[in-house]
Amino acid sequence: MAASLNCVLRRRLVRLCCTREVRRCLVSALDSDRAEQETHFGFQTVSEAEKGNKVYQVFESVAKKYDLMNDAMSFGVHRLWKDVLLRQMNPYPGTQLLDVAGGTGDIAVRFIDYVRSQQEHQLRQEIKSKQNLSWQEIAKSYQQTDEGSPRGSHAVICDINKEMLKVGKQKALRLGTAEGLSWVVGNAEELPFMDDTFDIYTIAFGIRNVTHIEQALQEAYRVLKPGGRFLCLEFSSVSNPLVSRLYDLYSFQVIPVLGEVVAGDWKSYQYLVESIRRFPAQEDFKEMIEDAGFLKVTYSNLTSGVVAIHSGFKL
Ligand SMILES: C[S@@+](CC[C@H](N)C(=O)[O-])C[C@H]1O[C@@H](n2cnc3c(N)ncnc32)[C@H](O)[C@@H]1O
């Protein structure tokens, strides 16, 4: 803990003092030094380099059963949480989304569906307000908007694990929702995108798996356009003692068993519940987002704080 705090302080100092080029050199020197440092993988203490490999193995192992397990573990409630995220985002036609740790693409697919339905609603409103159009004109305006992605909206799904992306791509093709999506292998701590590129950055159930959360938050800030929004959906802390007790029982006694029965993988789901307990609580995470430079940072709890949605703006 002290070592990682030390590393964060050194990074901040580097950020404050240097030009971009000098900063890159110093950051890469820090990177080789910190691969030796210790961190946690669930309740285990491991080196930082080891954590990256272990997280990779977890998602490589669960990729094919990932969606099924999400439904089984949460009784489908993860779908409602993701829908709430989309309602909070309320994207407009033309929005450029980056979904980091996007896995099998649940958020990006919902985003495209949401924008499409917004667009259809707008179209219906336009047509209602132009009652004197001929039927040919009405048919033509429908054809124009049905082509391609909804009015230039685009979602990039970025994930470190190519197996998760592969499963996501196949799912999108099967469901006919591949239009407007692109899939990129990349690390949340070192995103392969230019500065000021996206309107919205999302990360759903991903950030707790990242080794250097501060670094991922700084990258989120860098790739967002000024005015852009950061949204994070993540497991969080339950404050109600009774709910917390039941949730602990369910997490530790049932989820690994389900993991074994459904996906043949006890260990990965044991990691999942342990990693949830290690993730900072709502207020602490809010501070980390503010430290990365975001303003107007807020959060809302869902299901008594089992998960929380944090939001911030690059202003
Ligand atoms: C629990 S899944 C979440 C997937 C998806 N966002 C969802 O809500 O269903 C976590 C994802 O984070 C990815 N991940 C872990 N560490 C990462 C990193 N450093 N950079 C990018 N993705 C990472 C994993 O490969 C995995 O696909």
Side-chain angles (χ1 to χ4, degrees):
M1 183 70 182
S4 92
L5 197 65
N6 189 13
C7 184
V8 172
L9 289 176
R10 280 191 291 165
R11 277 187 174 281
R12 281 210 188 126
L13 203 62
V14 166
R15 230 179 35 244
L16 281 175
C17 307
C18 309
T19 64
R20 186 173 291 194
E21 272 316 296
V22 178
R23 212 185 300 157
R24 272 193 210 291
C25 297
L26 288 172
V27 165
S28 81
L30 285 178
D31 281 347
S32 55
D33 161 24
R34 75 185 182 185
E36 301 301 318
Q37 289 182 11
E38 289 188 333
T39 183
H40 48 81
F41 173 76
F43 292 164
Q44 295 172 42
T45 301
V46 296
S47 75
E48 291 190 342
E50 226 180 316
K51 170 160 177 166
N53 291 336
K54 280 177 171 285
V55 168
Y56 193 92
Q57 281 162 17
V58 163
F59 289 103
E60 189 175 45
S61 153
V62 303
K64 288 200 178 76
K65 297 280 174 142
Y66 177 78
D67 290 327
L68 178 65
M69 264 306 283
N70 270 355
D71 281 333
M73 279 184 311
S74 70
F75 304 103
V77 173
H78 76 104
R79 292 168 184 258
L80 304 179
W81 294 331
K82 288 170 179 167
D83 289 344
V84 174
L85 178 76
L86 258 294
R87 283 204 295 278
Q88 288 201 10
M89 184 194 300
N90 193 17
Y92 48 87
T95 299
Q96 304 299 305
L97 170 75
L98 173 64
D99 183 36
V100 174
T104 58
D106 269 8
I107 302 299
V109 165
R110 274 177 173 72
F111 163 81
I112 293 289
D113 283 348
Y114 190 98
V115 178
R116 191 164 280 143
S117 70
Q118 291 281 86
Q119 193 179 309
E120 282 164 6
H121 176 74
Q122 276 177 15
L123 185 65
R124 277 197 298 275
Q125 294 300 107
E126 272 170 37
I127 286 171
K128 259 191 208 161
S129 67
K130 293 177 193 163
Q131 293 290 344
N132 52 354
L133 284 181
S134 69
W135 69 265
Q136 287 100 332
E137 286 168 315
I138 293 174
K140 199 171 162 206
S141 60
Y142 264 97
Q143 281 158 13
Q144 277 167 356
T145 46
D146 272 357
E147 281 167 14
S149 57
R151 278 198 200 149
S153 290
H154 192 87
V156 177
I157 301 117
C158 174
D159 197 287
I160 205 161
N161 195 302
K162 53 183 189 320
E163 282 308 309
M164 290 289 283
L165 292 178
K166 194 167 126 194
V167 172
K169 261 191 239 178
Q170 287 164 350
K171 181 172 71 175
L173 285 172
R174 207 174 48 246
L175 300 175
T177 51
E179 196 86 59
L181 303 180
S182 46
W183 308 79
V184 174
V185 177
N187 187 344
E189 295 184 36
E190 218 173 339
L191 291 172
F193 307 108
M194 309 275 277
D195 297 359
D196 306 337
T197 304
F198 298 96
D199 301 300
I200 299 178
Y201 170 110
T202 48
I203 185 160
F205 305 116
I207 203 154
R208 70 171 193 286
N209 299 296
V210 168
T211 309
H212 305 98
I213 295 175
E214 294 85 356
Q215 179 69 19
L217 292 172
Q218 282 166 25
E219 280 291 271
Y221 190 87
R222 180 182 68 74
V223 299
L224 275 170
K225 292 177 188 166
R229 186 173 190 188
F230 167 88
L231 281 163
C232 174
L233 172 64
E234 188 51 90
F235 291 106
S236 207
S237 288
V238 177
S239 51
N240 181 308
L242 181 65
V243 180
S244 172
R245 179 89 192 100
L246 291 172
Y247 178 48
D248 273 353
L249 269 176
Y250 178 71
S251 304
F252 287 99
Q253 307 302 326
V254 180
I255 289 181
V257 181
L258 261 181
E260 183 61 36
V261 173
V262 178
D265 190 342
W266 179 295
K267 271 195 194 158
S268 294
Y269 287 91
Q270 181 73 31
Y271 159 72
L272 171 87
V273 289
E274 290 178 5
S275 65
I276 292 170
R277 297 311 184 282
R278 303 250 14 173
F279 190 69
Q282 288 83 334
E283 278 296 322
D284 296 333
F285 187 47
K286 177 174 180 267
E287 264 181 44
M288 292 170 79
I289 299 169
E290 285 165 344
D291 285 349
F294 288 101
L295 295 175
K296 287 177 77 66
V297 181
T298 54
Y299 64 85
S300 47
N301 287 327
L302 309 181
T303 321
S304 300
V306 169
V307 302
I309 296 176
H310 281 77
S311 158
F313 291 86
K314 174 172 172 178
L315 296 174

